[in-house]
Amino acid sequence: MPAHPSPQAESKDAVDVLIVGAGPTGLALAVDLVRRGVCTLVVEAADRPFSGSRGLSLQPRTQEVLDDIGVMDALREAGRPLPPMQTWRNGRRDGEWRLVERDPQAPVTRYPVQWLVPQWRTQQILQDRLLALGGVVEYGTRLTALHQTDQLVQAELTQTDGSRRTLNMPYLVGADGGRSTVREALGIKMKTEGGALHAAVVADVRVDGLDHDHWHTWPDGPGGELLLCPLPGTDQFQLTTPVGGEEGDPCPQRIRELIATRTHLSATAVTDVQWTSSYKPRTALAERFRDKRVF
Ligand SMILES: Cc1cc2nc3c(=O)[nH]c(=O)nc-3n(C[C@H](O)[C@H](O)[C@H](O)COP(=O)(O)OP(=O)(O)OC[C@H]3O[C@@H](n4cnc5c(N)ncnc54)[C@H](O)[C@@H]3O)c2cc1C
């Protein structure tokens, strides 16, 4: 399912670089390659673009890179700086504070502050730029196997309907996330630093009774702190809160229950639950970043 027909789409089976994964990494790399005239195809296992707010705070260095590939103006329009934090206790506002203080000694950059944009919007902006340059993203296409020789890489691609095709190309890049099929196919291990932190849930929600000018936090909620961050360009908040053990993606009822038990808001104040996920933060680094023709 190509995102759009384009000049490169017609020749998508004769590519120089196959990028596996249409997350922010794969899309940003594709923009950089296509603008340099490298024939690139992005394949994405999911049937449609990512819809969650997940990574919503762009760091200064990330913004510099995004500026270089021509998307920072659109991202500035789509986002806002980090709002002040608002602590709540016993149903009352209990202090406003800054999550990040400006450091006058910090190196000079055009982008000194973190910039909030929901991840789905960042990906949409990157994809729009890629398509405008003539690039292609093929959704519903999973890399299922890869082999390489000194001359080329052979990738087996499986569509959502189960059909398969094989593609040969000079280079392949794995931008397929933490559980990368590419990394595992090459036998490259992850070096883990420290243990995993507590499990947590994240969700995009509509909530009545809160202003959108603060990142709200209830630090004393039974079971852990709950935070609601306003999502720029939407009437939603991103909820994050720890949970006791690993859970699958929580259902809307579970999200309402967490808000009702950990904040002063009632379950009925939650008027919509758009997207939910669960995660366990950990720090890990791949042992190597290249194996012959695969990055
Ligand atoms: C709760 C939370 C908050 C976060 N907050 C921030 C933040 O504030 N700022 C920040 O910078 N980062 C943040 N992050 C991290 C950020 O979301 C990730 O760093 C980012 O998504 C990584 O992008 P990526 O493109 O490398 O991988 P991903 O976003 O994981 O994308 C990988 C893509 O590859 C696809 N894929 C996987 N396997 C295959 C296959 N075999 N074939 C084809 N496609 C495949 C997947 O479907 C996916 O679309 C946060 C993460 C979480 C969980």
Side-chain angles (χ1 to χ4, degrees):
M1 186 171 67
H4 277 278
S6 73
Q8 285 204 350
E10 282 137 34
S11 58
K12 69 179 165 32
D13 280 356
V15 298
D16 296 322
V17 181
L18 180 71
I19 297 178
V20 182
T25 306
L27 291 169
L29 175 65
V31 169
D32 196 19
L33 291 175
V34 171
R35 72 175 173 159
R36 294 170 200 275
V38 180
C39 187
T40 306
L41 171 66
V42 183
V43 290
E44 166 56 51
D47 286 328
R48 55 189 63 84
F50 181 65
S51 63
S53 68
R54 198 162 68 180
L56 83 167
S57 173
L58 301 175
Q59 307 297 321
R61 180 61 190 141
T62 307
Q63 293 174 59
E64 288 173 351
V65 172
L66 293 169
D67 184 358
D68 181 54
I69 62 170
V71 292
M72 207 47 223
D73 286 348
L75 285 162
R76 285 195 77 79
E77 209 161 297
R80 58 164 291 171
L82 282 188
M85 304 298 293
Q86 174 68 67
T87 297
W88 290 86
R89 282 197 171 87
N90 302 318
R92 296 216 167 89
R93 292 178 188 268
D94 187 31
E96 206 181 285
W97 49 284
R98 292 264 157 204
L99 184 64
V100 181
E101 297 290 350
R102 281 284 290 279
D103 175 2
Q105 306 297 323
V108 175
T109 165
R110 281 184 68 194
Y111 300 104
V113 298
Q114 293 184 42
W115 197 251
L116 278 195
V117 188
Q119 184 167 325
W120 64 263
R121 184 76 182 112
T122 300
Q123 292 190 207
Q124 196 177 63
I125 287 168
L126 283 165
Q127 180 169 300
D128 286 350
R129 171 98 173 116
L130 178 62
L131 299 180
L133 289 166
V136 182
V137 184
E138 201 182 302
Y139 285 92
T141 305
R142 178 181 292 276
L143 175 92
T144 38
L146 76 87
H147 307 280
Q148 61 174 326
T149 65
D150 288 341
Q151 283 74 41
L152 58 82
V153 187
Q154 189 173 71
E156 178 194 80
L157 302 176
T158 305
Q159 312 289 140
T160 307
D161 66 6
S163 59
R164 288 184 188 180
R165 73 183 200 273
T166 302
L167 219 60
N168 295 324
M169 76 292 306
Y171 297 103
L172 182 146
V173 179
D176 50 345
R179 297 191 182 92
S180 168
T181 305
V182 174
R183 184 175 52 73
E184 281 177 13
L186 299 172
I188 296 175
K189 302 244 175 314
M190 294 287 259
K191 285 183 286 185
T192 306
E193 293 172 14
L197 300 172
H198 54 71
V201 298
V202 54
D204 294 347
V205 295
R206 286 198 182 87
V207 179
D208 284 342
L210 283 181
D211 68 77
H212 283 253
D213 301 319
H214 293 89
W215 189 333
H216 302 273
T217 171
W218 292 261
D220 308 326
E225 180 175 21
L226 187 144
L227 296 107
L228 287 169
C229 179
L231 292 171
T234 78
D235 56 358
Q236 301 163 16
F237 292 87
Q238 183 191 72
L239 170 148
T240 46
T241 194
V243 287
E246 277 190 61
E247 297 189 7
D249 293 350
C251 65
Q253 177 57 24
R254 172 76 173 131
I255 296 296
R256 289 192 166 88
E257 187 184 291
L258 286 165
I259 289 182
T261 52
R262 297 182 182 185
T263 79
H264 64 277
L265 301 165
S266 67
T268 53
V270 186
T271 57
D272 194 21
V273 179
Q274 282 274 318
W275 167 79
T276 69
S277 184
S278 58
Y279 65 102
K280 206 166 187 185
R282 70 186 179 120
T283 310
L285 192 67
E287 279 173 355
R288 288 178 288 128
F289 288 88
R290 181 172 185 179
D291 187 305
K292 290 189 265 186
R293 293 182 162 271
V294 180
F295 294 83

